[in-house]
Amino acid sequence: MLNGNFFRGLGYLGEGFGLIRQPGLRLFVIIPLLINILLFSLLFFYLGELFSGLIATAMGWLPGWAWLQALDWLFWLLYGAVIVLLLAYGFVMVANLIGAPFYGYLAERCEQHLTGQPIGSDEGWAGIVKDIPRSLWRELQKIGYYLPRALGLLILGLIPVVNLVAVVLWFVFNSWMMALQYVDYPADNHKTRFPVLKQMLAERRLSALGFGLPVALAAMVPILNLFVVPAAVCGATALWVREQGSARF
């Protein structure tokens, strides 16, 4: 059933952007952000070098006509488009793998900020290090949930006429997946198992989709997607805190 409030869900990401500016939360935003910037800068540079070599090889196979050789700018334009798409769709998955221990602690501190109540034991950096294996396993569970469904939608997208419906389904699924991805952080802090979390979100599906929609859109915008991940963690924590009073959360 479509329970929840879609428009209320839309507001949680905006609340998340406000929360990441709070002094007590900034540190746990900055560190994974710097790691992600470094990683993707190196990836961008490596792919640029690789693509440069491929262009040189491809141009060597072509006839030596001046106008044809001048088309190397087109190859670079295509490279830029590919990189933008790579960053858009690959960023969230990789960023979550890297930042999972930090984001779990960010969700914990964010919930404490919202409720005024401590969540679990405050072990600080030692707790972050200790939680690395469990956080990575949790991320792999989400990837395992995502990939077969994404593959099914991809196959549907190859079928004429059906692919019109597949586009809509893909967009809805990505919105659902973004909600599931980020609400998992506060849920994990409360030792909520992943299958239970899915049922909980299903009970507030409209709120979840309302939250996931702007997150999915923002993740496709370069530069903005660097900041949307921690904001989505805080927004999802706000969703967890606000919605558990109106549902069996």
Side-chain angles (χ1 to χ4, degrees), residues 71-91:
L71 286 178
D72 60 345
W73 66 270
L74 180 59
F75 287 97
W76 281 106
L77 183 63
L78 293 173
Y79 162 69
V82 170
I83 289 298
V84 167
L85 290 173
L86 174 66
L87 293 178
Y89 292 102
F91 178 80

Side-chain angles (χ1 to χ4, degrees), residues 15-77:
E15 185 173 356
F17 273 108
L19 286 167
I20 63 174
R21 297 197 297 269
Q22 298 300 315
L25 304 178
R26 289 175 188 166
L27 181 62
F28 302 98
V29 173
I30 293 172
I31 292 177
L33 179 63
L34 292 176
I35 293 172
N36 288 328
I37 291 173
L38 176 62
L39 173 69
F40 279 88
S41 296
L42 292 173
L43 178 63
F44 190 92
F45 176 78
Y46 173 75
L47 290 176
E49 291 294 311
L50 177 64
F51 199 78
S52 179
L54 291 175
I55 289 176
T57 302
M59 298 305 290
W61 292 340
L62 297 175
W65 303 328
W67 67 269
L68 193 56
Q69 292 294 324
L71 286 178
D72 60 345
W73 66 270
L74 180 59
F75 287 97
W76 281 106
L77 183 63

